Amino acid sequence: MSTWLEDYALIGDMQTAALVGRDGSIDWMCLPHFDSPAAFAALLGDEQNGHWWIRPAAGAIRATRRRYRPETLILESEWDTPEGTVRLIDFMPPRTGVPHVVRIVEGVSGSVRMSTALRLRFDYGNVVPWIHRSGTEVVAVAGPDSVWLSSPVPIEGHNFMHDSTFTVSAGQRIPFVMTWHPSHTEESDHLDAEKALSRTERFWHEWVEKCTYEGDYRDAVVRSLITLKALTYRPTGGIVAAPTTSLPEDIGGVRNWDYRYCWLRDATITLEALMRSGYTDEARAWREWLVRAVAGEPQHMQIMYGVRGERRLAEWEADWLPGYESSRPVRIGNAAVGQYQLDVYGEVMDALDLARRSGLHSGEHVWGLQRSLVNYLEWCWDEPDEGLWEVRGPRQHFVHSKVMAWVAADRAVRMIEEFGKEGPLERWRALRDTIHAEVCEYGYDARRNTFTQYYGSQELDAALLLIPEVGFLPYDDPRVVGTIEAIREDLMVDGFVLRYRTDRDDVADKLPGDEGAFLACSFWMANALLSIGREKEARDLFERLLALRNDLGLLAEEYDPRIGRQVGNFPQAFSHVPLVTTALNLSHHDGHRRGEVA
């Protein structure tokens, strides 16, 4: 049986990341970058697809307890054994050159016999490297990749793996350092594990000190912000949705997607979370990545890009991998990159508007880009699209997409009216009014007092909760309140919000199987309830969502109440970002209430 997602921890160096199980095994890691082929892929298969464990040689496999060092991404796992207690410290130093994984075994008490086993399998578990020794180091080479493992512990090779047993006593610390190099280059200087640990801890403490949030949920907010920082590709500022691919939305099903890319749909909420938490530099880097990525002809703007702004993200299947808990296919790349999603024009315009209002000034070339986007939108806004959720069924006139087209026009109008930019003001005002009128006529069901998923549909969509958030209608509009109530009635299952129903004939995505509750949607509901004056319900829902995090404060994309487990890619930025904004909104609401009482 596969390790549950809740049993994994994240470590990373802001260019790639690894998942470390409660059993001391690294089961997923792509080298050298987030979107590179995995060198450890046991997460989507078994041990033969690559992993690296360190743990006691006898007794319980799972750690007795674990934690991150406070306000860092340094993982500490401890095992209590009959012989004593041992601690494993796992981290990746912020990268200045090549990537390193550092694992330090520390004796806490007694004298504990330990075991380590390393199976490197490049190309998503498909390639067994040629392994040799270079002095005291183990070197694995295949094609463009080479990995060097350094440790004072003798490591022996057999059966296409390398392993060792050794003893650690109280007060003793034994380091293991794994380093990736391009196979055609020479090894870099040796990394001092203890100095790297001190430097890494200092880096995270200094970074967290910038956080301006001091509310009731600070621990949860800081952990989410650290996770978001870990999912940032530092050289460009791009933020991946998750460090994994093909972790299923439905265990055993086909809803398995590659999330190691950057989505435009995340732009505004990510900027908002960073700016409101005090991280101006990260917000600016994300904004600059966004501008570079979408540059070009507006009709060719994509819904997602690679971490460096790549456009070609062709989807293929790694058919040698059985998938997480037999959930196939395992997909590499994402065919949704070629979809037409109207909402991205609104996402980009909204993000750039927020950046401008937050003091992130930009040159005239950015306004030129915005003008091009809205000029193109005038000709395409009334076309059907695949929508926010990247459905793989027929295109529809999705209401959320039309609302975001309105957002694009509205933000362009505001840039002219409020910031004196040059543009066809009256024409864009007319465009804004036309879109608004059409959505209210064709996207609203007056009989049920709710907006619908798409024109003519009887179905609902959690994305409709964003209608007042983007300013299309105020929260106290009866149509907004009615939509919130309808979604609460129809899409809430066991207290969590589904994106839309997948158990009816009119399902938009046309895929078999079900899915869990998309966690971002539940955070949206908490914000919506707060905004219509239902603070207790909002806070109860928010705290129920916080309780879903694993013991380290991490969230996947979804939660499946049928089996009581997190599902989907892990950890997921699109879950942690709305966690931050909801916590900020709850604290802001508390501040206003205290002011009124005073």
Side-chain angles (χ1 to χ4, degrees):
M1 180 177 176
S2 298
T3 301
W4 283 24
L5 298 186
E6 288 87 340
D7 283 333
Y8 282 109
L10 176 77
I11 59 174
D13 64 0
M14 289 154 288
Q15 292 193 43
T16 192
L19 295 187
V20 186
R22 194 186 291 269
D23 58 357
S25 181
I26 297 179
D27 288 346
W28 179 258
M29 185 177 188
C30 298
L31 289 169
H33 303 125
F34 290 113
D35 54 355
S36 300
F40 298 133
L43 179 70
L44 300 178
D46 57 29
E47 292 179 347
Q48 298 305 315
N49 300 119
H51 72 112
W52 179 17
W53 88 56
I54 301 178
R55 59 191 181 221
I61 292 177
R62 290 164 56 89
T64 308
R65 59 192 161 272
R66 63 179 181 169
R67 65 163 194 162
Y68 284 118
R69 286 192 179 182
E71 300 188 340
T72 76
L73 201 63
I74 299 169
L75 176 68
E76 295 185 338
S77 306
E78 293 184 354
W79 286 262
D80 293 333
T81 76
E83 294 78 27
T85 296
V86 65
R87 178 181 299 131
L88 176 61
I89 304 169
D90 287 319
F91 66 98
M92 295 182 69
R95 193 184 304 186
T96 56
V98 296
H100 303 277
V101 178
V102 181
R103 316 192 77 183
I104 300 173
V105 181
E106 179 182 10
V108 178
S109 66
S111 185
V112 182
R113 189 76 170 158
M114 299 293 292
S115 172
T116 184
L118 172 69
R119 283 187 177 89
L120 278 162
R121 298 292 185 267
F122 296 123
D123 193 30
Y124 302 102
N126 191 41
V127 174
V128 179
W130 172 59
I131 299 180
H132 65 283
R133 289 190 176 278
S134 177
T136 60
E137 294 179 299
V138 174
V139 184
V141 178
D145 301 295
S146 70
V147 166
W148 298 62
L149 178 62
S150 175
S151 176
V153 171
I155 299 174
E156 301 297 330
H158 57 89
N159 296 330
F160 301 103
M161 63 176 285
H162 280 69
D163 61 8
S164 179
T165 56
F166 58 97
T167 300
V168 61
S169 301
Q172 187 179 12
R173 290 162 73 101
I174 300 175
F176 295 79
V177 178
M178 191 186 85
T179 305
W180 178 93
H181 295 273
S183 59
H184 64 278
T185 64
E186 296 181 2
E187 182 192 11
S188 63
D189 294 337
H190 289 276
L191 183 77
D192 184 301
E194 295 293 345
K195 289 181 179 178
L197 177 59
S198 296
R199 187 173 68 251
T200 302
E201 187 164 23
R202 185 168 59 253
F203 169 86
W204 285 110
H205 284 165
E206 291 174 354
W207 189 81
V208 169
E209 283 178 359
K210 299 176 184 177
C211 180
T212 56
Y213 175 74
E214 297 292 344
D216 294 338
Y217 304 105
R218 180 176 166 82
D219 288 347
V221 167
V222 166
R223 179 51 51 195
S224 291
L225 288 169
I226 289 174
T227 303
L228 190 62
K229 179 68 170 175
L231 298 180
T232 301
Y233 185 69
R234 200 174 180 186
T236 66
I239 302 173
V240 297
T244 56
T245 180
S246 297
L247 292 178
E249 298 173 9
D250 183 25
I251 299 293
V254 301
R255 296 170 181 263
N256 318 318
W257 317 110
D258 193 344
Y259 273 20
R260 297 171 299 156
Y261 308 113
C262 308
W263 267 257
L264 299 190
R265 73 182 181 206
D266 303 354
T268 304
I269 62 168
T270 302
L271 268 174
E272 180 187 6
L274 291 170
M275 292 295 299
R276 291 179 64 189
S277 302
Y279 291 100
T280 306
D281 289 344
E282 285 76 11
R284 181 179 291 105
W286 172 236
R287 193 275 308 272
E288 292 304 316
W289 173 89
L290 178 68
V291 171
R292 291 193 304 270
V294 305
E297 295 179 299
Q299 64 267 33
H300 295 146
M301 190 166 74
Q302 300 179 175
I303 67 167
M304 73 179 86
Y305 296 85
V307 292
R308 292 162 293 272
E310 300 94 333
R311 293 172 177 255
R312 296 185 183 275
L313 310 175
E315 183 177 302
W316 55 279
E317 297 177 6
D319 56 9
W320 59 87
L321 287 172
Y324 181 84
E325 294 194 22
S326 300
S327 304
R328 304 178 79 171
V330 171
R331 293 183 171 94
I332 310 300
N334 200 313
V337 71
Q339 287 190 351
Y340 172 54
Q341 293 183 19
L342 180 63
D343 68 288
V344 298
Y345 295 91
E347 305 288 2
V348 171
M349 292 293 293
D350 196 29
L352 295 177
D353 178 76
L354 174 63
R356 179 67 178 81
R357 293 174 186 280
S358 300
L360 297 182
H361 298 290
S362 56
E364 280 301 310
H365 71 286
V366 175
W367 174 238
L369 170 66
Q370 292 175 274
R371 286 186 56 150
S372 295
L373 295 180
V374 181
N375 284 335
Y376 177 68
L377 192 68
E378 290 182 273
W379 299 97
C380 70
W381 73 268
D382 56 354
E383 296 293 324
D385 74 329
E386 276 95 358
L388 170 73
W389 304 124
E390 300 164 14
V391 300
R392 300 205 175 189
R395 291 181 176 180
Q396 304 286 354
H397 290 282
F398 286 102
V399 171
H400 173 264
S401 296
K402 305 300 186 189
V403 167
M404 294 310 295
W406 175 89
V407 167
D410 177 72
R411 301 314 187 253
V413 167
R414 287 163 59 176
M415 287 296 285
I416 297 171
E417 291 178 336
E418 299 176 29
F419 294 104
K421 298 295 185 181
E422 294 291 332
L425 179 59
E426 293 307 320
R427 199 174 81 211
W428 286 350
R429 281 176 175 165
L431 172 65
R432 181 179 62 179
D433 294 345
T434 299
I435 298 173
H436 197 282
E438 182 183 286
V439 170
C440 292
E441 180 177 357
Y442 297 108
Y444 174 69
D445 184 338
R447 181 179 61 83
R448 293 187 296 158
N449 188 29
T450 181
F451 286 93
T452 61
Q453 186 177 40
Y454 54 87
Y455 293 176
S457 173
Q458 295 298 303
E459 298 298 326
L460 301 179
D461 189 320
L464 300 171
L465 293 169
L466 301 176
I467 286 176
E469 186 76 15
V470 299
F472 185 84
L473 288 172
Y475 272 102
D476 59 1
D477 188 292
R479 293 166 292 183
V480 168
V481 177
T483 300
I484 295 171
E485 292 285 8
I487 290 173
R488 207 159 147 263
E489 179 69 26
D490 189 48
L491 297 186
M492 286 197 82
V493 176
D494 296 324
F496 306 104
V497 181
L498 302 175
R499 293 190 292 181
Y500 46 81
R501 303 298 300 216
T502 59
D503 56 355
R504 295 175 183 155
D505 293 338
D506 195 26
V507 60
D509 64 25
K510 305 304 179 187
L511 291 170
D514 294 317
E515 63 181 17
F518 202 79
L519 292 173
C521 300
S522 295
F523 286 114
W524 295 345
M525 176 60 79
N527 274 314
L529 291 171
L530 180 66
S531 296
I532 61 173
R534 300 182 184 178
E535 181 188 353
K536 184 179 185 307
E537 293 176 65
R539 194 174 296 276
D540 288 347
L541 175 55
F542 179 69
E543 293 181 354
R544 190 157 65 246
L545 292 167
L546 289 186
L548 299 182
R549 298 173 303 149
N550 73 358
D551 58 312
L552 298 171
L554 301 179
L555 284 171
E557 178 185 22
E558 301 179 13
Y559 178 76
D560 192 336
R562 301 168 300 178
I563 57 176
R565 292 174 58 183
Q566 294 192 34
V567 293
N569 284 297
F570 176 90
Q572 172 79 349
F574 205 49
S575 298
H576 284 281
V577 170
L579 183 158
V580 172
T581 54
T582 306
L584 291 169
N585 290 341
L586 285 166
S587 295
H588 182 69
H589 188 270
D590 281 347
H592 275 299
R593 186 179 58 189
R594 285 192 292 270
E596 290 167 4
V597 171

